[in-house]
Amino acid sequence: MTNGETLWIKQARHGDDEAFGSLVEAYQKPVFNLCYRMLGNANDAEDAAQESFIRAYRHLRRYDPKRSFATWLLSIASHYCIDCLRRKQLPTMSTAVIPEETVPDTAAPNPERKIFSIEKQAEIQTLLERINPTDRAAIIFRYWYDYSEVEIAEALSLSVSAVKSRLFRARRELAKLWLSSQPSNGVKERRPHESPAL
Amino acid sequence: MSHQPYEKWLLSEEVISQQDKESLKIHLQECKSCQDLHYAWQAVEQEFAINAQVEPQSGFDQRWEIRLEKTRETRRQKRITVSIGITLGFSLLATWSILLADLTNFSLSSFLGNLFATLGQFVSRIIHILRGVESLFRAFPLAIPISAAIGVSLMAVVTLLLAFWTASLFKIYQPKQGVILK
Ligand SMILES: [Zn+2]
C-alpha cells in the first residue's frame, strides 16, 4: 500500500468522498478481476464489483488500518460473490465468453496467439465455474493474487487448515475435470520425469 | 490400491522429504490413477500461470459514483417510508384504542361530547392555575423576578430542544452531497 493510499483511507474515514473515489480508481481492476473469476461474466462482475465498493464505503470505519486494505476489500468482494452464487444458484457451467478487449494483450501482437490465449482463458473459466464457490475463491486468491494460505484464511474468514483442505479438494477436482475434458490419449503425451515435483 | 498420501503430496504445497519423493516416484510408475491426476494438475497449473487479469470497461469509477448516489437516495426514501409508516401505525393504534375502549356503548355524539367536555375541563384548569399564580404574585411581589427568571430559562431550554429536534430531522432527511471524483 502506497503512502497516498494510506492518506486516502484516512481521509475517506473522515468522510472525504473524493478520497474514497481515488481508492475506487486504484482498486477497481483487482476487485473486478476477482468478481469476474468468481461469477464468470462481465455484467455480473461489474455489478458485484460496484456493490463491493459500496459496502466498503459504508463499513469503512470497521477497517483495521493495521491490516492490508487490499485484502480487506477483496474479502468483501469474495464474500459478496459467494453469497450471490449461493443465493442465485447460478449454473455451474457457462459459456465463459471473455470480451476480447478485456483480456490483456500479453506481449503478443500475433492475433493467432491472442485467440489461443482467449480460448485458454475460457477453458480456465469453465473449470473454475464447476467447483464450490468458496473453494473457487481460495484458488483465485492463490493463483491470481499470489496469496499465501494464511492470507487466504484471512480474506475468506477461514482457518489455515480449512484453507489447506479446500485448496487440496479444489486442485483434485480441477485436475479430474480437466482430465474428463481431454481426449483419451491427451494425457499420455508426457513422461513422468517431466514432473518438477520429482 | 490406496492413493494416500500420494495424492496429498501431489496436490498440496507441503515440502516432502527425499525418502517420500522416492516413494512417490515408485508409486507413480505403478499407479495410472495418480499419474493421470499428477499430469492433469500440472496442466491446470500451467494454465493458471497465464494469470491474466480481466479489467472493467472504462468509466468504472463514474458508474460507481452514480450507484452510490442511487443507493443514498434509496436509503433516504426507505427512512421516510419507515417514519411515515410508524406515525400512521401509532395514529391507527391510538384511534382503535379509543374506539375499542367502549365499543359496546360507542356513539359518535357521546364520543364528541366527552371530547369537548374533557377539553373544556383542561382549559378551565389551566385558567385556575394561572389565577392561583397571579394571586400568589400579588401576595408576594418579590417572587415575580425569580419566577420570571425561571420561566425564561425554561423557555430557553424548550426552544433549544426544539431547535435540536428540527436540526436532527433536517440532517436525517437531507441527502448527502454527491461524490466528486478526480
Ligand atoms: Zn495412486
Side-chain angles (χ1 to χ4, degrees):
Chain A
M1 195 157 58
T2 64
N3 286 338
E5 283 169 8
T6 312
L7 186 68
W8 288 336
I9 293 164
K10 204 175 167 188
Q11 288 170 336
R13 278 162 77 97
H14 287 93
D16 185 343
D17 286 349
E18 200 180 325
F20 196 86
S22 304
L23 289 169
V24 173
E25 212 177 328
Y27 287 98
Q28 56 175 296
K29 287 176 190 173
V31 171
F32 179 85
N33 179 64
L34 174 69
C35 296
Y36 182 86
R37 296 293 167 198
M38 285 297 291
L39 304 172
N41 73 75
N43 285 341
D44 287 345
E46 164 91 12
D47 190 60
Q50 295 270 354
E51 186 56 33
S52 301
F53 279 112
I54 295 280
R55 286 177 180 210
Y57 176 85
R58 273 169 51 198
H59 300 129
L60 195 59
R61 285 186 185 279
R62 290 187 201 166
Y63 164 65
D64 176 4
K66 281 175 260 171
R67 290 174 57 197
S68 151
F69 183 72
T71 304
W72 182 73
L73 196 58
L74 292 172
S75 171
I76 292 175
S78 60
H79 280 111
Y80 180 74
C81 291
I82 292 168
D83 284 348
C84 279
L85 289 163
R86 284 187 185 146
R87 220 175 25 241
K88 287 183 194 168
Q89 287 285 303
L90 289 178
T92 49
M93 250 172 78
S94 84
T95 47
V97 175
I98 302 174
E100 197 181 346
E101 67 272 15
T102 61
V103 174
D105 199 357
T106 50
N110 182 350
E112 273 176 32
R113 200 165 157 186
K114 192 167 181 176
I115 289 164
F116 175 75
S117 166
I118 291 168
E119 279 171 3
K120 282 277 174 202
Q121 288 302 302
E123 199 178 8
I124 291 171
Q125 199 57 43
T126 310
L127 286 178
L128 278 177
E129 282 167 34
R130 292 178 70 177
I131 62 172
N132 164 287
T134 310
D135 295 358
R136 192 185 309 173
I139 286 284
I140 294 165
F141 277 125
R142 183 75 196 91
Y143 294 97
W144 272 266
Y145 297 85
D146 208 21
Y147 272 26
S148 68
E149 287 166 341
V150 176
E151 286 170 316
I152 298 170
E154 194 188 327
L156 294 176
S157 317
L158 295 169
S159 66
V160 176
S161 62
V163 169
K164 280 183 185 184
S165 65
R166 279 185 181 275
L167 282 173
F168 171 76
R169 191 173 66 188
R171 286 173 183 137
R172 194 171 188 273
E173 216 176 326
L174 287 165
K176 296 209 162 176
L177 285 167
W178 185 88
L179 268 179
S180 64
S181 70
Q182 300 303 307
S184 56
N185 60 347
V187 178
K188 289 172 186 168
E189 288 167 10
R190 296 164 195 243
R191 303 256 65 85
H193 67 265
E194 283 177 312
S195 161
L198 297 168
Chain B
M1 191 190 284
S2 168
H3 305 292
Q4 287 303 352
Y6 310 108
E7 278 191 353
K8 199 181 160 221
W9 289 343
L10 289 171
L11 300 175
S12 73
E13 290 171 43
E14 265 177 51
V15 181
I16 58 170
S17 68
Q18 196 56 43
Q19 198 184 348
D20 290 341
K21 272 185 188 172
E22 288 303 319
S23 159
L24 176 62
K25 207 170 175 180
I26 294 164
H27 180 79
L28 283 178
Q29 281 163 356
E30 297 164 349
C31 179
K32 171 82 170 63
S33 166
C34 284
Q35 251 181 50
D36 285 352
L37 187 76
H38 178 46
Y39 301 139
W41 174 242
Q42 277 193 303
V44 174
E45 216 174 16
Q46 264 175 17
E47 288 188 17
F48 282 167
I50 299 169
N51 196 17
Q53 300 281 322
V54 184
E55 293 176 10
Q57 285 191 343
S58 61
F60 180 90
D61 40 4
Q62 278 84 20
R63 293 193 294 279
W64 180 78
E65 181 191 343
I66 294 164
R67 186 166 176 141
L68 179 66
E69 215 33 68
K70 270 187 192 164
T71 310
R72 278 173 173 164
E73 183 56 28
T74 310
R75 284 166 74 83
R76 199 175 73 89
Q77 292 292 339
K78 211 173 171 180
R79 275 203 296 263
I80 292 171
T81 312
V82 167
S83 307
I84 292 169
I86 289 170
T87 313
L88 277 175
F90 271 113
S91 311
L92 276 173
L93 200 70
T95 313
W96 276 106
S97 308
I98 294 163
L99 289 177
L100 287 171
D102 197 9
L103 198 63
T104 45
N105 300 320
F106 181 78
S107 77
L108 188 64
S109 56
S110 67
F111 173 74
L112 288 174
N114 283 337
L115 189 72
F116 286 125
T118 313
L119 278 172
Q121 271 179 6
F122 179 73
V123 171
S124 72
R125 267 181 203 170
I126 295 284
I127 292 167
H128 187 73
I129 290 164
L130 286 173
R131 277 182 186 158
V133 171
E134 194 187 5
S135 59
L136 196 74
F137 284 152
R138 275 184 195 151
F140 308 99
L142 266 176
I144 295 170
I146 299 165
S147 307
I150 292 169
V152 168
S153 308
L154 278 172
M155 275 176 71
V157 168
V158 170
T159 313
L160 272 172
L161 281 173
L162 269 171
F164 181 70
W165 180 69
T166 315
S168 307
L169 278 179
F170 187 74
K171 203 174 175 185
I172 288 169
Y173 294 123
Q174 185 72 12
K176 279 188 181 177
Q177 267 193 317
V179 181
I180 305 147
L181 296 171
K182 280 176 183 173

